[in-house]
């Protein structure tokens, strides 16, 4: 059900909107869809992220998500530098840490910070007031259902350059309203935390949420990113647009799947990057299948009819997960800001560099887990570095995966990888 803001005191140009549950019936109905967690009152404590002090209040907040926030802030700042303006909608803002960072670090001209839970209101306002006063109008705080706030802005033709949808589970219901409310060339930063669906344990659920029937595969966490991008690809196509992934980030905690996508005008009728992924349980090789191959799906290791050994998932995004040049710009900005080398571990630099390696256009989807390779070959795996350099010598593309530490992204098939590993270990190759 859609409720349009109508009375003057409820327009989105008001600097800050609080809608107590009983204030008007429309809001009451809408906010009923927002999960409200039992209030565990935290001690009034303050945290610091990238030098910015803020209060998490009683809001849902995870320190481990700081890297995802860093990546979002770098991208938002690049957008401001490239386009000269930055209007951000933080649709599920929690305590407002992202909104604070988009204002303070990315130099956002305006941030709309929304969280369905009105109990977080004073915390969000306190946090954003550290950057500018409410009266200056650089930010507004609302407590609406996320689809409603996005749709209201869309109906007012008040579009955004950057929309952050930091949702729980596989709530894909936000995708269409977010796409509608984004300017062309704008950036959409979306989330899934549904590890059951990406792991292939709820294929009917992933089908409903992202239009993809996902089955268990050895590189399921990469499938999670491809499922999410595929879902946005489909929603964008419905509206006559298409998207380009700029980066895709998986984090173990949660798990969290986050992708940053640029919205482009126009449909593309090329389904090269939207198809089916098959994994052969018999030989361990993976294959991509296009729509016109449906009904003829097989693996070359078995009879040329439909192979029972193949596990097929899709449709999914099968194209690049990142744009390497864009990641390089992010890395340079992080260096300029002194973010690199300051934690003593250089985790952000390592992450962005591995993502850049993963951007090699010769690399297909998926990765080979060395444990799986070793168990198929009945050998101990050689060291990852040695295996990667042997693959390079044989002319294959190979890189580490930011998703799985003991895995190689490569265009080398599993069967060939086993041969190379055996050669390295000087085990007889049969
Ligand atoms: C993952 S948390 C946000 C965390 C925050 N972005 C951060 O980085 O710390 C998701 C937030 O969405 C809010 N929420 C959940 N469903 C919502 C909905 N349908 N509309 C608006 N807010 C919602 C919750 O109250 C919660 O604060």
């Amino acid at each position: 059900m859609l409720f349009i803001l109508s009375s003057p005191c409820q327009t989105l140009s008001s600097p800050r909107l609080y809608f107590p549950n009983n204030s008007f019936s429309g809001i009451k109905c809408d906010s009923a869809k927002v999960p409200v967690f039992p209030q565990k009152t935290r001690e009034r404590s303050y945290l610091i992220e990238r030098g910015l002090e803020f209060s998490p209040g009683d809001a849902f907040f995870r320190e481990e998500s700081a890297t995802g926030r860093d990546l979002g802030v770098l991208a938002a700042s690049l957008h401001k530098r490239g386009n000269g303006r930055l209007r951000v909608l933080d649709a599920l803002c929690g305590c407002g840490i992202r909104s604070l960072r988009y204002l303070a670090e990315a130099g956002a001209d305006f941030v709309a910070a929304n969280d369905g839970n009105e109990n977080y209101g004073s915390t969000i306002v306190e946090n954003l007031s550290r950057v500018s006063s409410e009266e200056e109008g650089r930010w507004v705080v609302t407590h609406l259902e996320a689809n409603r706030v996005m749709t209201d802005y869309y109906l007012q033709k008040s579009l955004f350059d950057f929309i952050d949808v930091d949702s729980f589970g596989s709530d894909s219901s936000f995708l269409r309203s977010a796409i509608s409310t984004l300017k062309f060339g704008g950036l959409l930063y979306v989330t899934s935390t549904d590890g059951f669906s990406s792991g292939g344990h709820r294929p009917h659920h992933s089908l409903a949420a992202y239009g993809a029937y996902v089955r268990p595969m050895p590189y399921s966490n990469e499938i999670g990113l491809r499922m999410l991008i595929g879902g946005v690809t489909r929603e964008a196509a419905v509206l006559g647009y298409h998207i380009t992934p700029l980066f895709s980030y998986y984090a173990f905690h949660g798990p969290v799947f986050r992708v940053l996508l640029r919205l482009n005008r126009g449909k593309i009728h090329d389904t090269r990057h939207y198809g089916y992924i098959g994994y052969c349980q018999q030989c361990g090789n993976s294959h991509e299948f296009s729509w016109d191959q449906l009904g003829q799906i097989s693996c070359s290791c078995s009879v040329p009819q439909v192979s029972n050994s193949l596990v097929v998932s899709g449709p999914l995004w099968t194209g690049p997960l990142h744009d390497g040049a864009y990641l390089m710009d992010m890395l340079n900005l992080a260096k300029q800001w002194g973010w690199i080398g300051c934690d003593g571990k250089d985790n952000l630099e390592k992450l962005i560099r591995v993502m850049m390696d993963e951007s090699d256009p010769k690399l297909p989807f998926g990765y080979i887990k060395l444990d799986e390779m070793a168990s198929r070959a009945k050998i101990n795996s050689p060291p990852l570095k040695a295996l990667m350099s042997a693959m390079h010598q044989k002319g294959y593309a190979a890189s580490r995966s930011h998703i799985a530490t003991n895995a190689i992204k490569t265009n080398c098939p599993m069967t060939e990888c086993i041969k190379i590993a055996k050669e390295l270990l000087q085990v007889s190759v049969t």
Side-chain angles (χ1 to χ4, degrees):
M1 201 185 299
L2 177 70
F3 298 96
I4 301 172
L5 299 173
S6 52
S7 89
C9 67
Q10 291 147 2
T11 62
L12 286 166
S13 55
S14 311
R16 167 174 145 203
L17 301 167
Y18 286 114
F19 293 129
N21 265 343
N22 298 325
S23 64
F24 78 65
S25 59
I27 297 296
K28 211 166 49 170
C29 175
D30 242 3
S31 59
K33 286 191 265 165
V34 179
V36 176
F37 300 102
Q39 292 294 297
K40 282 187 277 157
T41 310
R42 279 188 191 132
E43 286 290 305
R44 193 108 197 115
S45 59
Y46 291 90
L47 300 174
I48 294 185
E49 190 164 289
R50 291 282 178 213
L52 286 171
E53 192 182 61
F54 68 99
S55 163
D58 292 328
F60 179 94
F61 175 77
R62 274 200 163 124
E63 282 187 64
E64 309 92 294
S65 299
T67 304
R69 289 188 283 270
D70 282 350
L71 296 173
V73 169
L74 288 168
S77 177
L78 286 177
H79 194 87
K80 166 101 190 206
R81 288 167 183 225
N83 298 274
R85 43 145 230 267
L86 179 63
R87 267 172 67 82
V88 178
L89 173 53
D90 187 3
L92 299 98
C93 74
C95 67
I97 174 63
R98 287 167 194 272
S99 296
L100 169 66
R101 295 191 59 184
Y102 291 132
L103 285 164
E105 296 172 316
D109 304 298
F110 174 75
V111 172
N114 178 72
D115 195 283
N117 191 334
E118 65 193 31
N119 297 322
Y120 303 165
S122 55
T123 301
I124 304 169
V125 169
E126 179 194 339
N127 287 331
L128 303 192
S129 300
R130 291 164 185 273
V131 181
S132 63
S133 72
E134 213 173 320
E135 291 68 35
E136 287 170 69
R138 263 185 85 194
W139 49 267
V140 295
V141 177
T142 52
H143 298 296
L144 297 170
E145 202 284 323
N147 272 312
R148 177 179 170 169
V149 82
M150 293 190 280
T151 306
D152 283 346
Y153 277 115
Y154 163 72
L155 291 173
Q156 294 183 24
K157 296 193 173 68
S158 178
L159 305 185
F160 289 83
D161 300 293
F162 191 106
I163 300 185
D164 192 325
V165 179
D166 191 15
S167 49
F168 294 122
S170 48
D171 198 339
S172 58
S173 68
F174 305 122
L175 298 180
R176 197 170 301 181
S177 43
I179 294 169
S180 303
T181 315
L182 198 60
K183 294 180 190 174
F184 288 124
L187 305 180
L188 179 59
Y189 196 24
V190 283
T191 318
S192 162
T193 61
D194 185 358
F196 289 109
S197 288
S198 58
H201 307 299
R202 299 202 293 187
H204 295 285
H205 195 88
S206 60
L207 187 60
Y210 301 108
Y213 196 85
V214 174
R215 300 185 61 204
M217 297 192 143
Y219 34 84
S220 62
N221 290 328
E222 190 179 305
I223 294 289
L225 293 170
R226 295 184 177 283
M227 176 181 79
L228 178 57
I229 303 171
V232 185
T233 302
R234 186 182 64 149
E235 292 294 338
V238 172
L239 297 170
Y241 313 139
H242 66 281
I243 51 96
T244 311
L246 297 177
F247 68 76
S248 309
Y249 169 58
Y250 163 80
F252 173 75
H253 78 273
V256 182
F257 303 88
R258 293 231 68 173
V259 297
L260 182 82
L261 309 162
R262 180 180 286 134
L263 184 68
N264 310 302
R265 197 189 291 265
K267 268 187 190 164
I268 40 171
H269 297 286
D270 171 7
T271 52
R272 237 181 333 161
H273 295 323
Y274 188 59
Y276 292 83
I277 289 177
Y279 167 74
C280 178
Q281 289 171 318
Q282 189 165 291
C283 67
N285 289 339
S286 292
H287 308 273
E288 183 176 340
F289 299 103
S290 59
W291 293 79
D292 51 13
Q293 286 173 293
L294 289 177
Q296 307 152 33
I297 287 178
S298 66
C299 180
S300 53
C301 77
S302 63
V303 283
Q305 293 121 24
V306 174
S307 313
N308 290 333
S309 57
L310 268 180
V311 178
V312 179
S313 294
L316 297 162
W317 177 259
T318 56
L321 290 177
H322 325 280
D323 174 330
Y326 190 83
L327 285 166
M328 177 57 105
D329 290 344
M330 287 174 63
L331 185 61
N332 287 337
L333 183 58
K335 281 185 186 156
Q336 205 180 310
W337 282 354
W339 284 7
I340 300 295
C342 66
D343 59 2
K345 295 179 245 155
D346 288 338
N347 286 341
L348 185 65
E349 178 173 17
K350 268 189 212 150
L351 171 70
I352 299 178
R353 285 199 185 280
V354 175
M355 286 172 158
M356 282 164 63
D357 292 345
E358 289 175 332
S359 314
D360 180 343
K362 293 195 283 305
L363 291 173
F365 57 84
Y367 43 76
I368 292 181
K369 283 183 178 166
L370 297 201
D371 293 347
E372 184 197 344
M373 185 277 298
S375 114
R376 283 180 176 277
K378 299 192 175 46
I379 54 171
N380 290 322
S381 171
L384 184 138
K385 264 192 177 169
L387 192 53
M388 260 176 54
S389 78
M391 284 174 171
H392 285 144
Q393 275 168 23
K394 290 196 184 276
Y396 291 109
S399 102
R400 283 177 178 275
S401 159
H402 86 274
I403 298 171
T405 43
N406 198 27
I408 300 179
K409 263 189 94 58
T410 179
N411 55 0
C412 173
M414 173 68 88
T415 35
E416 186 60 21
C417 176
I418 288 174
K419 268 192 217 159
I420 297 174
K422 284 185 171 175
E423 279 166 16
L424 277 173
L425 298 172
Q426 298 182 328
V427 175
S428 70
V429 181
T430 49

